[in-house]
Amino acid sequence: MIQRVQSLFLFFAALLNTVILFYAPIFISSEEKKIIMKDLQYPSLLLVLSTLLALFAIFQFKNRIRQLMIVYLSRLCIAISFLIFILFKEDENQLYYGSFLLILPYIILFFSAYFIKKDDKLVKSADRIR
């Protein structure tokens, strides 16, 4: 259901992950060469997995607990991807704006998890009234 706010957040997180993956440079070398995420093998795979999980979570609206777990996995993939390219960066490379842009999908997924929990709480309270 795309009209739910958490579905919009999940879509924007997936869209932002894709933009970071292909267009946002995360490192700049000493020779002014920009390195984007798709040039790095494992962080890019984790970012692709996070994107696919966010898109898959949109269609899990009937099972909110599963949807919440998928969002948590997606956030974990982003965090591990961030840690991998920070820990294994070479000394001549400096961080560029794409590496800090990776925080945005994490925050967006945090808000989508909040609204999924809120929606679940609303449904459970409506079930108690019946």
Side-chain angles (χ1 to χ4, degrees), residues 14-102:
L15 186 68
L16 195 56
N17 277 343
T18 306
V19 167
I20 291 169
L21 184 65
F22 292 111
Y23 300 113
I26 58 169
F27 291 128
I28 188 164
S29 66
S30 57
E31 297 88 32
E32 298 296 319
K33 181 177 178 254
K34 295 177 182 172
I35 300 169
I36 58 176
M37 182 70 88
K38 73 175 183 174
D39 296 335
L40 306 173
Q41 183 181 7
Y42 295 115
S44 65
L45 287 175
L46 286 169
L47 200 61
V48 167
L49 181 63
S50 173
T51 303
L52 293 175
L53 285 172
L55 289 174
F56 180 66
I58 293 173
F59 300 106
Q60 297 298 314
F61 58 89
K62 291 184 181 180
N63 191 345
R64 285 169 300 283
I65 302 301
R66 183 184 308 149
Q67 188 179 32
L68 195 60
M69 296 313 270
I70 293 170
V71 168
Y72 287 154
L73 279 173
S74 181
R75 282 180 34 203
L76 181 67
C77 288
I78 291 174
I80 292 172
S81 174
F82 186 75
L83 285 175
I84 286 174
F85 79 75
I86 292 295
L87 291 177
F88 296 111
K89 91 174 185 73
E90 298 171 7
D91 291 334
E92 68 267 1
N93 293 339
Q94 294 180 352
L95 295 176
Y96 208 53
Y97 70 89
S99 59
F100 302 110
L101 199 62
L102 199 57

